[in-house]
Amino acid sequence: MENTSSPIISIKNLRKNYGEKQVLKGVNLDIYPGQVIGYIGPNGAGKSTTVKILTGLISDYEGEVLMYDQNIQNDILSIKAQIGYVPENAEIYEVLTPLEYLDFVGKLYGMDEDKIAERAMKLLKAFGIDSNADQRMDTFSKGMRQKVLLISGIIHNPKIIILDEPLSGLDANAVIMVKELIALLAKEGKTIFYCSHMMDVVEKVSDRILLINQGEIVADGSFEELKAGGDQTLERIFAKLTGKEDGNQEANDVLSALN
């Protein structure tokens, strides 16, 4: 996809092995400001490893990853300060209230205490859980905790937001709101890197879709570009490119095994 601006993230020949297993096999990507990237792939394809490298959780890899034209291996702390990250399975400090937790996160990002409190309450209200602001989170549902995690990922107003299955546990109204929020953040020039197995959501929120399979990018384009091959849904494109077009047969095999 053509883009005249400089990439905000540039990945060059990225490789990562776990012992003998090659997880990433020379990934090359340029990601631009304001793009919503849908990053999809089957389990074990290399999605989580890519995210962990981008967020500085994995540092022993081959190749080069630049953010804001800086090599993240040289100064990962200053890079982390400019990233918002919402992991798929995060341990939240359940003994804290949302306000206490967000105060802790905001201070890690060097935010002013008054700004943290003001922004936290506004965000909690926007997510519909302001009435629970002073309630310990060990009583919260999965969806409520996910809302607090989402807020913690954007409270410092980062330019790059990395979302790993961010809709997990959210109710239908919250899903709609987060989808609209992603679009608004992109209009503000934020770059969203969105990992998910929910193909229908990826299809709707992403202006660029990357499909990784067995450690390599096998598709890169808008949904319109990817479906030019004749497939009308992202699920069908995914199945074809990952060699899993026999899902119906697999379902029949499961059913026959029960009879």
Side-chain angles (χ1 to χ4, degrees):
M1 298 173 72
E2 290 292 324
N3 199 304
T4 56
S5 62
S6 298
I8 195 167
I9 300 172
S10 185
I11 299 173
K12 300 175 182 177
N13 200 29
L14 182 60
R15 299 176 183 273
K16 172 63 182 170
N17 296 351
Y18 291 107
E20 295 295 311
K21 181 174 174 57
Q22 272 190 299
V23 180
L24 296 176
K25 303 175 182 176
V27 172
N28 290 283
L29 282 177
D30 282 332
I31 297 169
Y32 296 90
Q35 284 192 329
V36 180
I37 305 292
Y39 196 53
I40 60 174
N43 289 335
K47 294 194 308 300
S48 293
T49 299
T50 308
V51 167
K52 286 175 181 175
I53 289 171
L54 288 175
T55 53
L57 296 175
I58 293 176
S59 57
D60 57 330
Y61 56 83
E62 296 177 36
E64 188 175 62
V65 180
L66 304 178
M67 287 190 187
Y68 311 100
D69 293 322
Q70 301 175 63
N71 189 317
I72 65 170
Q73 285 183 314
N74 295 339
D75 194 2
I76 189 59
L77 280 180
S78 69
I79 296 293
K80 279 183 176 181
Q82 302 175 74
I83 297 173
Y85 175 42
V86 180
E88 180 178 6
N89 296 306
E91 293 294 331
I92 204 164
Y93 295 112
E94 295 180 345
V95 296
L96 300 180
T97 69
L99 279 181
E100 290 169 341
Y101 179 71
L102 294 172
D103 180 67
F104 167 67
V105 171
K107 285 174 179 172
L108 287 178
Y109 285 115
M111 293 176 64
D112 176 76
E113 193 165 350
D114 291 338
K115 173 59 75 174
I116 297 169
E118 177 191 354
R119 193 173 284 172
M121 278 309 299
K122 285 181 178 177
L123 288 166
L124 288 167
K125 185 173 183 179
F127 276 89
I129 52 172
D130 52 315
S131 61
N132 308 101
D134 294 309
Q135 186 178 338
R136 275 174 39 148
M137 292 186 290
D138 57 358
T139 62
F140 281 18
S141 66
K142 186 180 189 316
M144 289 169 72
R145 293 180 198 186
Q146 190 66 15
K147 288 178 180 181
V148 176
L149 280 173
L150 276 163
I151 293 168
S152 73
I154 63 174
I155 192 167
H156 57 302
N157 198 22
K159 291 181 180 177
I160 297 173
I161 303 169
I162 299 172
L163 305 173
D164 193 356
E165 296 289 358
L167 305 182
S168 176
L170 296 183
D171 58 56
N173 286 332
V175 168
I176 292 167
M177 190 273 270
V178 171
K179 283 157 60 175
E180 291 175 353
L181 175 63
I182 288 170
L184 291 173
L185 288 169
K187 285 182 181 177
E188 290 281 313
K190 311 292 188 189
T191 303
I192 317 290
F193 195 84
Y194 184 101
C195 299
S196 182
H197 292 293
M198 298 171 69
M199 298 294 164
D200 57 332
V201 178
V202 172
E203 188 178 307
K204 287 180 174 66
V205 304
S206 310
D207 49 40
R208 181 181 173 194
I209 296 168
L210 300 169
L211 172 54
I212 186 169
N213 189 40
Q214 297 181 359
E216 298 177 297
I217 303 294
V218 296
D220 178 358
S222 67
F223 175 56
E224 293 300 319
E225 289 167 343
L226 295 187
K227 74 177 185 179
D231 294 294
Q232 292 304 302
T233 68
L234 191 53
E235 284 186 351
R236 295 304 308 158
I237 295 166
F238 182 93
K240 179 182 286 186
L241 292 174
T242 58
K244 288 290 183 181
E245 294 186 89
D246 55 352
N248 190 51
Q249 182 57 50
E250 289 174 350
N252 283 327
D253 290 344
V254 171
L255 192 59
S256 65
L258 297 173
N259 294 322

